[in-house]
Amino acid sequence: MPGPDLGTVVSSQSDIIELYTADLRGFRAAAGPLLAGWGVATPALRDAIAAGPAAFDPPDGPHASARTHELCWRTWLLDAVPAGITLCGPAYQDTPIIATNRTLRRLTGYTDAQLHGRNPRLLQGPATEAAAVTRLREAIAIWSPVTVTLTNHRADGTPYRSRLALQPLADNTGEIAHWVAVQTPVDG
């Protein structure tokens, strides 16, 4: 079965990255129309956007910082978007996975519990291209966004190709405290 065309993939990934880099006001303004455009908007999601992150009760308990809480809220709101989302902590802590959306979990076959606290490299396997991994490592080392196409592996070991966009997320002091990865399966 063919995957989405590259133009659609790039647009969806760019839109999702923009939702994470936007301030709270920008996120609220853009999220509703994008969710509606993707066909995943519900009255409950609209209410949650209006209520804001303060009303969010995360399923995994309280978060270490208000910024982490807000980013997890955004990931929760984007649970059904047409791309897998992985929210990670800082590189100096080995970039632990903090939150994922349902699309990513369905794509990879991993549960939230299997992913939480692990480094995203657990998705790599024997077919993962070394050049793509090198580009990801270099981007993390210099706190730079990067997009690669690579072969990752599902929980059962099955390889799949995806286009992965990785974006550093600064906190209110400008420090890179989080990373968001958006991946969409691609053909070939």
Side-chain angles (χ1 to χ4, degrees):
M1 177 167 115
D5 72 80
L6 188 58
T8 302
V9 169
V10 171
S11 177
S12 292
Q13 287 183 320
S14 297
D15 290 340
I16 292 167
I17 294 288
E18 287 180 20
L19 287 173
Y20 278 89
T21 58
D23 64 13
L24 185 55
R25 174 178 276 168
F27 175 85
R28 284 178 157 159
L34 285 172
L35 291 169
W38 289 319
V40 297
T42 65
L45 284 178
R46 285 190 288 278
D47 291 347
I49 292 168
F56 174 57
D57 186 19
D60 58 343
H63 296 110
S65 71
R67 177 70 170 153
T68 299
H69 182 83
E70 180 185 328
L71 292 170
C72 287
W73 170 72
R74 291 181 190 206
T75 304
W76 175 77
L77 289 169
L78 301 174
D79 202 43
V81 299
I85 299 172
T86 307
L87 176 66
C88 295
Y92 70 85
Q93 292 179 350
D94 199 28
T95 325
I97 296 172
I98 297 170
T100 60
N101 73 344
R102 179 176 55 213
T103 306
L104 184 275
R105 294 187 303 274
R106 285 184 177 164
L107 174 64
T108 65
Y110 284 98
T111 66
D112 193 46
Q114 290 171 311
L115 293 167
H116 194 269
R118 302 280 306 273
N119 183 287
R121 71 178 154 264
L122 84 121
L123 299 174
Q124 297 171 15
T128 304
E129 300 84 354
V133 172
T134 297
R135 288 189 61 212
L136 290 167
R137 285 186 182 148
E138 288 172 352
I140 290 169
I142 61 171
W143 302 345
S144 177
V146 66
T147 301
V148 299
T149 300
L150 78 163
T151 303
N152 271 332
H153 294 74
R154 294 181 175 88
D156 67 4
T158 307
Y160 67 95
R161 298 276 297 155
S162 70
R163 182 175 190 276
L164 178 110
L166 182 66
Q167 174 73 40
L169 300 172
D171 63 16
N172 61 353
T173 68
E175 180 182 340
I176 303 301
H178 298 89
W179 291 82
V180 65
V182 181
Q183 67 175 292
T184 308
V186 295
D187 291 333

